[in-house]
Amino acid sequence: MLHARLGRPLGRAYADLSKAWAPCRRSLQSSGCPEHNKLLNERRQSHSTASSRQQQQAPMEQESPVSAYVHLPFCKRRCYYCDFPVSVVGSKPEQPGIQQGMQDYITLLCREIEATVKVPGPPLRTVFFGGGTPTLVPPQLLKQILIALNNKYGIAKDAEISMESDPGTFDALRLQEYMLLGVNRFSMGVQCFQQELLELCGRSHTLEDVYTAIDNIHKAEVQNWSLDLISGLPQLNSKRWQHSLQEAVSASPTHISVYDLQVEAKTPFARWYEPGSHPMPTDEATADMYRAASQFLQQSGYEHYEISNYAKPGFRSQHNLGYWRNAPFYAFGVGAASYLFQRRFSRPRTMKAYQQWVTEFANCSSSIGLYAGNIPGSGSMQAEELEEQLLDYVMLRLRLADGIPMDELQRKFGHVAAQTVKATLASGSAYAEKYACETYSQGQQHVRLTDPEGFLVSNDCIATLFAELSSDAACDPMLQIAELS
């Protein structure tokens, strides 16, 4: 069984989708789902020859980006499972040298913002500060970024402005200072409620820091905040997992993210542990943790609206919903990835390379670079073909509990694609009922994965669907464009 090891928060790691969306990044991400990234990468490599026969490109993306991801890479230390682009600043980030380094980075980041073309359209509806640990950045430096974004793109008055945080990096006053700047949503990486497991992960915070941070959030009267947990940690068992779930709910966040641990190459965890082998939980034990989380959190009043995410009614992450709906977005900072004009581009992952890239980017015509795909360091980027757009759309939409809206799928990609999805996942298919189903919402038909069993085998479902959609009949751009015209 291929269960959903979707361990990356999209807001924090969307840039990592470049591994799948060559020649750029998740982050997903993302932007956040490594096994889905692998499926995408394998699928695109296997179809490189077929794609060369299909030179007809889809029309340029008409939807205007209304979201921006900003990467703030500073961390007190690197966790043992982490392969994000981070800059370790140690336990005393307030030292003058560290503060100057942060200022230099913010100046560089603002230069990138100023050099990036503004796509005609409305102001930004969401801004997400990911990392790293953004709450290590002083409010006066964060203000510089928000001013740069507002001057260039505009920020809607009711925009969702999110900021990732770690326990031990803020107090109530600091949160209030961020809120005065417009930040209205915080996402805190707790990961677990056991001191020994925090130490095993190399986290910079203690369990005492966790409870202090929760108190500070409530003292600051933060109305919208998320708490992150990680399942599949070494020495994690069902009893400890249930305790973490109970403590998370007791903290009263409006949103909870539950990510399955990813053992990434070149990390200490990759040297020390083998997934599924002691002291790591077995795949079945991890699947049971997923089932337990889904049941307990829904019973506690959270809607399971995405494979790894739960929210109180009205508190879904609007920024991440943009990722899962495959909407275009800006991105800035080391290792960050943008999606504009049907092109995904990842910035360099090291500070030195990023600095050089920004200099080259700022010295060229950014509007020509984005529209033509001639971004420094990327070669000549081609817009995604219709087949790629279709498969990205399907993969991301199936992460959502709402699933794939069939009318929209047919409108975007044609009748053949819509019928293929229904035949593969809906009535009469091998996945029907237990793993996938058809639903109706406000008169609209959706095909979605079931919760939790369908989500647990999402990789298997998506791989099968990719194979069907990659047939000549389902993905020929000329055929689909003819149907859409």
Side-chain angles (χ1 to χ4, degrees):
M1 177 179 67
L2 292 173
H3 82 80
R5 287 190 171 275
L6 305 178
R8 292 184 179 274
L10 285 177
R12 170 171 295 200
Y14 201 88
D16 285 349
L17 280 176
S18 58
K19 298 175 183 176
W21 280 315
C24 54
R25 162 301 233 173
R26 114 213 297 45
S27 205
L28 268 220
Q29 24 287 333
S30 275
S31 16
C33 35
E35 297 231 2
H36 284 184
N37 298 346
K38 182 179 179 181
L39 290 172
L40 271 175
N41 200 33
E42 291 174 349
R43 179 263 299 169
R44 285 181 175 163
Q45 288 176 356
S46 68
H47 287 86
S48 60
T49 302
S51 295
S52 67
R53 294 186 286 105
Q54 299 171 340
Q55 296 300 318
Q56 174 69 46
Q57 299 292 323
M60 198 63 81
E61 176 67 66
Q62 297 300 308
E63 185 179 359
S64 299
V66 292
S67 295
Y69 173 80
V70 181
H71 192 71
L72 300 177
F74 309 105
C75 276
K76 286 186 176 181
R77 64 184 295 182
R78 181 182 286 276
C79 301
Y80 297 148
Y81 53 76
C82 175
D83 73 339
F84 299 149
V86 301
S87 178
V88 176
V89 299
S91 59
K92 297 181 178 179
E94 68 280 359
Q95 292 181 340
I98 299 297
Q99 292 294 298
Q100 184 59 52
M102 289 185 181
Q103 176 64 78
D104 292 345
Y105 176 76
I106 300 305
T107 299
L108 188 65
L109 192 149
C110 289
R111 188 182 183 194
E112 183 192 352
I113 292 172
E114 293 164 3
T116 301
V117 67
K118 180 185 186 302
V119 181
L124 297 175
R125 299 286 306 167
T126 74
V127 177
F128 197 105
F129 293 100
T133 309
T135 41
L136 288 175
V137 175
Q140 64 268 24
L141 296 186
L142 193 82
K143 182 179 180 179
Q144 295 177 26
I145 305 173
L146 287 167
I147 289 174
L149 288 171
N150 190 50
N151 287 343
K152 186 74 178 190
Y153 309 106
I155 299 176
K157 291 183 179 180
D158 59 346
E160 177 192 87
I161 303 179
S162 301
M163 190 174 193
E164 288 188 335
S165 64
D166 278 348
T169 64
F170 61 85
D171 56 20
L173 178 60
R174 195 176 185 95
L175 292 178
Q176 290 171 339
E177 290 176 329
Y178 290 133
M179 291 162 69
L180 286 173
L181 296 175
V183 178
N184 51 24
R185 184 178 184 274
F186 293 89
S187 179
M188 185 167 66
V190 171
Q191 318 312 16
C192 64
F193 282 84
Q194 291 82 24
Q195 178 62 34
E196 59 270 33
L197 296 191
L198 292 172
E199 293 173 1
L200 277 175
C201 292
R203 297 291 290 174
S204 62
H205 66 263
T206 65
L207 187 56
E208 182 180 357
D209 291 333
V210 170
Y211 289 112
T212 299
I214 293 170
D215 288 341
N216 286 329
I217 287 174
H218 292 302
K219 287 178 182 177
E221 297 183 345
V222 176
Q223 300 300 309
N224 187 2
W225 69 285
S226 182
L227 186 152
D228 291 357
L229 295 176
I230 298 180
S231 65
L233 294 172
Q235 297 188 16
L236 183 62
N237 55 36
S238 59
K239 183 177 180 180
R240 285 174 163 175
W241 181 239
Q242 190 63 38
H243 174 73
S244 286
L245 291 171
Q246 291 169 344
E247 291 298 286
V249 169
S250 296
S252 299
T254 52
H255 188 283
I256 296 176
S257 296
V258 177
Y259 301 109
D260 188 20
L261 174 69
Q262 301 299 300
V263 178
E264 301 291 349
K266 299 181 181 180
T267 63
F269 267 24
R271 297 196 301 270
W272 301 339
Y273 304 120
E274 182 70 25
S277 299
H278 185 78
M280 303 289 282
T282 64
D283 284 350
E284 189 55 42
T286 305
D288 285 340
M289 292 179 196
Y290 185 87
R291 294 184 181 100
S294 179
Q295 180 179 21
F296 181 75
L297 294 177
Q298 290 186 78
Q299 289 174 347
S300 301
Y302 294 86
E303 56 175 347
H304 191 181
Y305 73 99
E306 192 271 340
I307 283 181
S308 300
N309 288 277
Y310 303 78
K312 291 287 189 177
F315 288 96
R316 296 183 180 189
S317 169
Q318 297 304 307
H319 183 84
N320 284 347
L321 280 171
Y323 293 152
W324 299 318
R325 290 169 179 161
N326 208 27
F329 60 93
Y330 299 101
F332 307 99
V334 59
S338 54
Y339 181 40
L340 299 169
F341 308 110
Q342 299 171 347
R343 295 177 174 91
R344 302 186 189 271
F345 176 72
S346 236
R347 287 126 190 89
R349 287 173 59 90
T350 66
M351 198 66 74
K352 183 177 180 180
Y354 172 68
Q355 182 177 11
Q356 180 179 353
W357 178 83
V358 171
T359 300
E360 294 176 2
F361 180 61
N363 289 335
C364 78
S365 171
S366 59
S367 61
I368 293 176
L370 283 171
Y371 281 99
N374 298 321
I375 300 176
S378 71
S380 181
M381 292 172 55
Q382 297 298 316
E384 289 185 324
E385 295 182 2
L386 199 63
E387 175 198 356
E388 293 180 295
Q389 296 173 47
L390 167 61
L391 298 184
D392 291 351
Y393 175 90
V394 167
M395 183 198 77
L396 292 168
R397 279 286 186 168
L398 283 176
R399 290 182 62 102
L400 292 169
D402 296 337
I404 301 171
M406 298 306 294
D407 285 351
E408 181 178 274
L409 175 67
Q410 181 163 324
R411 184 173 67 253
K412 286 177 176 286
F413 302 105
H415 175 75
V416 174
Q419 290 303 308
T420 301
V421 169
K422 288 183 64 175
T424 305
L425 296 181
S427 300
S429 74
Y431 294 106
E433 295 184 11
K434 183 175 182 180
Y435 302 117
C437 63
E438 296 178 70
T439 60
Y440 290 85
S441 176
Q442 298 180 340
Q444 299 296 314
Q445 182 187 33
H446 292 246
V447 171
R448 64 177 182 86
L449 300 181
T450 58
D451 178 11
E453 298 306 319
F455 283 155
L456 280 169
V457 296
S458 62
N459 295 337
D460 192 16
C461 294
I462 290 168
T464 301
L465 190 53
F466 276 7
E468 295 297 328
L469 288 171
S470 295
S471 67
D472 289 342
C475 70
D476 182 359
M478 295 299 293
L479 173 61
Q480 300 301 326
I481 290 172
E483 288 188 348
L484 290 169
S485 61

